Amino acid sequence: MKKRDGFGLIAALIILIIGICGCAANHAEPTDEKEPEVTLSERQKDILAEQGLPTEYDALPPHQQRAIVAIEEMLLYAEAKYDLPFSYAGYTEAGPMEKEHMRAYPTSGHMAVDSFTITKTEAGYEDDFVAVASSPYFASYVRENLKSFLPNTEVKVYAEITDTSLTDVPTDETVFDDKVASSLCIFVDGATCTVEDFESFKLQYADFMRQHRLYGMTQVILLKEGNLIYLSEFNYTDYLSTDYFDSRDTISIQR
């Protein structure tokens, strides 16, 4: 009898322990899996306000929350890379035909002419800031060389570097040879350049580009007298209309 009583006591004790453990498991505290709180910077709030959106993170729908976080990350990437402050100019989510990217520009610059693209890739971010920031210097380089072809004629040159091996914005204009491809617009003043001179200029210009291994497409435009003074980096494309020129041609220099 004593053996049975001992066995029954042990069995009861095991059942009691299991019951206690089960109750403890049932009353365990739930794990806190809340997402970390996001605090928007003043810049992020300004961007949202400019778009007419709420400036509180929790008031935004999920896709706008992701966007405003991504925008700040891209701007911080560019600022760390170039040691310059940048401002927002536009954002595009990733889609079937394009990667997630945004447009930015130096805060000291102008959104219309100084904007560049920051793209999110599998490896992080990439951008074309050096190409955009170098374009005015490249235009100056080309314009200075044109003086030897048209010494008594006013010209204006506008450039967009479309591809480059440059890793920094140059301070020496001689570094462009064999390092850029571009899209150029060269406007020649018809007041001091005849159609015959213009034809000769085009040949000399093409030779210069080949010799310096500068590739891409160039629009050369002989403007009607009196129009050149009105051109600027903001409006020069308006003067590609037949209303403003006597002659226009495209010169393509390929590798």
Side-chain angles (χ1 to χ4, degrees):
M1 287 293 291
K2 288 184 178 180
K3 279 188 178 181
R4 290 182 180 177
D5 290 344
F7 178 78
L9 183 60
I10 292 171
L13 189 58
I14 291 172
I15 292 171
L16 180 61
I17 292 171
I18 293 173
I20 292 171
C21 291
C23 290
N26 289 335
H27 291 87
E29 290 295 324
T31 303
D32 188 2
E33 295 182 352
K34 290 177 64 178
E35 292 185 5
E37 186 175 334
V38 176
T39 301
L40 299 180
S41 67
E42 288 304 313
R43 174 166 63 186
Q44 287 171 298
K45 291 180 180 180
D46 289 343
I47 292 170
L48 290 168
E50 289 171 3
Q51 305 303 311
L53 297 171
T55 57
E56 294 300 321
Y57 180 80
D58 291 338
L60 297 168
H63 74 281
Q64 290 177 348
Q65 289 178 342
R66 290 192 296 271
I68 197 60
V69 170
I71 288 168
E72 182 70 3
E73 288 178 353
M74 292 186 192
L75 288 172
L76 290 173
Y77 148 81
E79 289 172 341
K81 183 176 180 179
Y82 298 109
D83 194 25
L84 289 171
F86 292 101
S87 297
Y88 168 82
Y91 171 81
T92 302
E93 289 184 302
M97 303 298 292
E98 57 188 341
K99 296 178 180 179
E100 180 182 8
H101 64 276
M102 72 166 292
R103 297 285 289 174
Y105 65 99
T107 303
S108 60
H110 195 289
M111 183 169 61
V113 295
D114 297 319
S115 293
F116 65 101
T117 302
I118 305 169
T119 303
K120 186 173 184 179
T121 70
E122 293 181 359
Y125 297 111
E126 61 184 24
D127 65 88
D128 61 353
F129 173 72
V130 170
V132 173
S134 300
S135 291
Y137 296 100
F138 180 59
S140 177
Y141 171 63
V142 173
R143 184 173 60 252
E144 288 302 308
N145 280 277
L146 295 185
K147 291 179 180 179
S148 62
F149 314 144
L150 296 169
N152 300 312
T153 300
E154 290 293 322
V155 298
K156 289 188 176 182
V157 180
Y158 302 98
E160 176 188 351
I161 294 177
T162 56
D163 187 36
T164 181
S165 60
L166 294 170
T167 57
D168 296 297
V169 180
T171 55
D172 181 354
E173 293 176 353
T174 63
V175 304
F176 292 108
D177 292 4
D178 199 30
K179 292 184 179 178
V180 302
S182 65
S183 175
L184 284 156
C185 285
I186 299 176
F187 294 90
V188 180
D189 188 4
T192 53
C193 181
T194 65
V195 173
E196 292 76 14
D197 290 338
F198 186 65
E199 292 301 315
S200 176
F201 157 72
K202 288 189 293 184
L203 295 174
Q204 291 176 292
Y205 171 75
D207 286 342
F208 159 76
M209 295 294 280
R210 291 190 189 96
Q211 289 170 11
H212 291 264
R213 302 177 303 284
L214 300 170
Y215 306 103
M217 303 288 289
T218 303
Q219 295 282 329
V220 285
I221 303 99
L222 179 63
L223 286 176
K224 293 179 179 178
E225 183 175 351
N227 284 312
L228 190 74
I229 60 171
Y230 299 109
L231 271 68
S232 73
E233 59 185 339
F234 300 103
N235 71 0
Y236 70 89
T237 56
D238 296 340
Y239 289 83
L240 296 174
S241 163
T242 54
D243 294 336
Y244 300 105
F245 64 76
D246 290 320
S247 181
R248 174 182 172 183
D249 203 353
T250 300
I251 298 173
S252 175
I253 308 297
Q254 303 300 323
R255 291 183 183 275

